[in-house]
Amino acid sequence: MSGNSTDDSLCSEPLVYSLIGALSFTIVASTMLWVIYIKKYRALVRRVHDLKGSKFLLGVSPRLEFPSTPVRPVPAVVEGEREDHRDEGPQLPQRQSSTVRLSSGRLWKGRQQSPGFTKSDLNLLQLIKAGKEGVFYQARMARGTCKGHSMFTCKISKEGVRPKHVESEVSIMRKLVHHKNILQLLDWNTVEEPYILIMEYVSYGTLRTFLQTNRVHLSADQELQSLLTIASYHIALAMQHLHAKMIIHCDLALRNIMVNKFPWEVKVGEFGLARDLSSMASRRSSRWKNPRQRVPLRWYPPEYFKNNYYSFKGDVWAFGIVLWEMQTFGTLPYPNLETSDAVVYHICVGHKNTNPEGCRPEMLHIMRDCWLEPYTMRPSFPDIVSMLENIIENDADYVDVESPQLLVKDEAEYNEAKGLLAASVSLEDKNPI
């Protein structure tokens, strides 16, 4: 009996030691984890304490604490400065800014801190054209000049235009600076409505109005086709510059081309629908998010209506329409079609505008190339520029691109023609976009 008891006690001792060891390990591990947790927690508390008062906590907490005493409202530009100076390090928060709520559309990069001018500072001299989102005028400052320009072109936005839309247009025009065939942006007011863009001055308004007004005079000119070719060349140069900057115009039409001196100074303008593809995730993102957005249907390619897709080659299609408009002195494309549905069906089934009367074969060939399908078969603008250069070189015996005086018999005839153009130009463009 005593022998059996001794054996049982000897067997139970290892089990007890194992249990004690396991319990000790658990206690030690738990203690270490608790110490680590305490250290992490204290570090987090210190981090939060350090960040208190920093701009990085602005807008994090959903709770708004209103001060017990009245505070003066903070101007909108203070909110903008918060973004403009985001690299200056932590700053002390201003509690009163929580009482001011601004739409995110007003927090624009690089915007003005205060409006340098408003509509009341402008003298609007003559209407150039009215579009769906803005009205163009010849104007001047009531006092002084705008960056040295006594006369300029201004675009005044219509009511309801979104601030982000104007911001995009300004951004694109700033990216396209320093090109002789693009209407240059001088100044802008995107702080308060109506939003205003000030651009360089043009003498004769839109190319469509110019051609319509001077149709009789130009039709009698034996060198008309050479003049139209030169104007087309300068438009193509502008579009080549746009595409090199990864920008598609999306609204290339005769009404959106301005004339300072025909045909040597024509300038592409109106970038309200333009899109900067360099800021998008992929080239395919040129698909339009809103298929019901109002667009100039008569200038749009079939792939837009079939697949809701507009690319660089869509601008090429529109350039072909512009060539057709020029040859017909500003006639509306597809003039026999009255409804939008009829226009869309006509384009989708492959019908094109009829050949303009009197159009030279070389220009007709370029026009038809711009309307090729599928769109991948259309030429690029560098190709178009090269083709137009060849045509102009063939005309070089009697046309000098750089010297408009050589296009007339003598100086007196040139001055007389110039006077007739200036006297007959009407700057109001009644054609709807």
Side-chain angles (χ1 to χ4, degrees):
M1 291 289 293
S2 61
N4 291 335
S5 299
T6 302
D7 292 340
D8 291 341
S9 62
L10 291 175
C11 292
S12 62
E13 285 181 1
L15 180 60
V16 172
Y17 292 149
S18 299
L19 291 175
I20 293 174
L23 182 60
S24 300
F25 176 79
T26 302
I27 293 173
V28 171
S30 300
T31 302
M32 293 178 64
L33 290 175
W34 179 253
V35 170
I36 294 173
Y37 172 79
I38 292 297
K39 289 183 177 180
K40 291 287 186 180
Y41 176 77
R42 288 178 178 176
L44 180 61
V45 169
R46 285 196 301 270
R47 177 64 175 164
V48 172
H49 182 269
D50 292 340
L51 288 177
K52 279 187 177 180
S54 170
K55 65 178 181 179
F56 299 111
L57 285 184
L58 293 176
V60 173
S61 174
R63 179 181 299 175
L64 295 177
E65 298 179 4
F66 295 92
S68 58
T69 58
V71 294
R72 184 176 61 182
V74 179
V77 292
V78 173
E79 290 286 341
E81 289 172 357
R82 185 176 302 160
E83 183 174 347
D84 294 338
H85 303 298
R86 58 184 176 275
D87 296 327
E88 295 182 359
Q91 301 175 354
L92 292 176
Q94 298 181 6
R95 284 287 185 179
Q96 53 266 46
S97 63
S98 63
T99 63
V100 179
R101 291 184 175 231
L102 297 177
S103 65
S104 59
R106 292 182 181 269
L107 301 180
W108 300 340
K109 296 180 180 179
R111 72 178 193 189
Q112 300 162 313
Q113 292 184 353
S114 61
F117 62 91
T118 61
K119 184 179 178 181
S120 60
D121 297 321
L122 304 177
N123 282 338
L124 305 180
L125 304 177
Q126 215 163 9
L127 176 68
I128 296 178
K129 74 163 196 152
K132 284 186 170 60
E133 296 183 347
V135 183
F136 285 75
Y137 289 93
Q138 280 186 344
R140 62 161 53 101
M141 286 291 180
R143 292 182 300 274
T145 63
C146 177
K147 296 187 176 178
H149 294 258
S150 58
M151 294 278 291
F152 46 79
T153 304
C154 72
K155 177 183 178 182
I156 301 177
S157 67
K158 291 184 177 180
E159 185 178 355
V161 174
R162 295 193 307 165
K164 284 187 67 175
H165 190 90
V166 183
E167 176 205 11
S168 175
E169 186 172 359
V170 169
S171 174
I172 286 173
M173 293 193 73
R174 294 181 69 186
K175 188 174 181 179
L176 294 173
V177 295
H178 309 313
H179 194 283
K180 64 177 182 177
N181 298 122
I182 293 177
L183 199 63
Q184 296 295 293
L185 181 67
L186 302 177
D187 204 352
W188 61 94
N189 174 7
T190 54
V191 177
E192 59 185 38
E193 295 188 81
Y195 308 119
I196 301 173
L197 276 60
I198 292 182
M199 295 154 286
E200 62 181 314
Y201 174 77
V202 290
S203 302
Y204 297 118
T206 70
L207 182 54
R208 182 174 186 268
T209 300
F210 178 87
L211 292 176
Q212 288 179 333
T213 305
N214 298 280
R215 180 169 186 168
V216 175
H217 174 76
L218 292 172
S219 298
D221 193 333
Q222 296 180 354
E223 297 167 349
L224 173 62
Q225 287 300 313
S226 296
L227 298 177
L228 294 179
T229 302
I230 294 171
S232 304
Y233 172 68
H234 289 297
I235 297 170
L237 286 176
M239 295 306 299
Q240 178 179 272
H241 181 68
L242 254 74
H243 288 190
K245 295 287 187 178
M246 291 298 291
I247 292 172
I248 49 178
H249 192 282
C250 303
D251 197 10
L252 182 61
L254 208 62
R255 66 180 174 274
N256 293 329
I257 298 168
M258 303 295 180
V259 182
N260 195 44
K261 183 185 294 184
F262 182 81
W264 300 274
E265 293 184 26
V266 293
K267 301 173 182 290
V268 174
E270 182 56 277
F271 297 92
L273 291 182
R275 307 177 73 218
D276 187 353
L277 296 187
S278 65
S279 63
M280 299 181 180
S282 67
R283 191 69 62 86
R284 196 64 177 174
S285 62
S286 56
R287 287 187 181 275
W288 294 70
K289 295 180 180 179
N290 182 9
R292 296 185 178 181
Q293 181 177 3
R294 297 181 67 180
V295 296
L297 301 178
R298 294 174 189 264
W299 287 261
Y300 266 43
E303 63 267 19
Y304 174 79
F305 306 112
K306 295 177 181 178
N307 302 315
N308 193 34
Y309 182 73
Y310 193 103
S311 65
F312 293 113
K313 295 304 177 71
D315 279 349
V316 174
W317 174 284
F319 180 76
I321 302 292
V322 168
L323 296 181
W324 186 90
E325 287 185 279
M326 292 174 64
Q327 294 289 335
T328 59
F329 294 93
T331 301
L332 187 69
Y334 316 107
N336 298 325
L337 304 178
E338 297 181 358
T339 66
S340 299
D341 290 341
V343 171
V344 172
Y345 175 80
H346 189 84
I347 295 173
C348 288
V349 298
H351 295 318
K352 308 294 192 300
N353 282 292
T354 57
N355 294 344
E357 184 178 352
C359 179
R360 65 193 303 175
E362 302 95 327
M363 297 301 292
L364 188 61
H365 176 73
I366 295 176
M367 195 184 306
R368 291 295 170 180
D369 282 352
C370 291
W371 298 336
L372 289 174
E373 294 185 66
Y375 62 88
T376 53
M377 297 178 61
R378 297 171 202 157
S380 64
F381 275 106
D383 297 330
I384 294 172
V385 166
S386 178
M387 288 186 282
L388 290 170
E389 284 177 345
N390 291 334
I391 298 174
I392 293 174
E393 287 177 2
N394 292 334
D395 293 340
D397 291 339
Y398 56 94
V399 172
D400 187 338
V401 176
E402 300 298 331
S403 302
Q405 289 82 355
L406 297 182
L407 288 174
V408 294
K409 298 295 186 297
D410 53 45
E411 188 68 20
E413 182 180 347
Y414 174 74
N415 291 331
E416 180 183 359
K418 184 176 180 181
L420 288 173
L421 293 178
S424 61
V425 168
S426 171
L427 292 175
E428 182 174 0
D429 187 355
K430 298 181 180 179
N431 179 51
I433 293 179

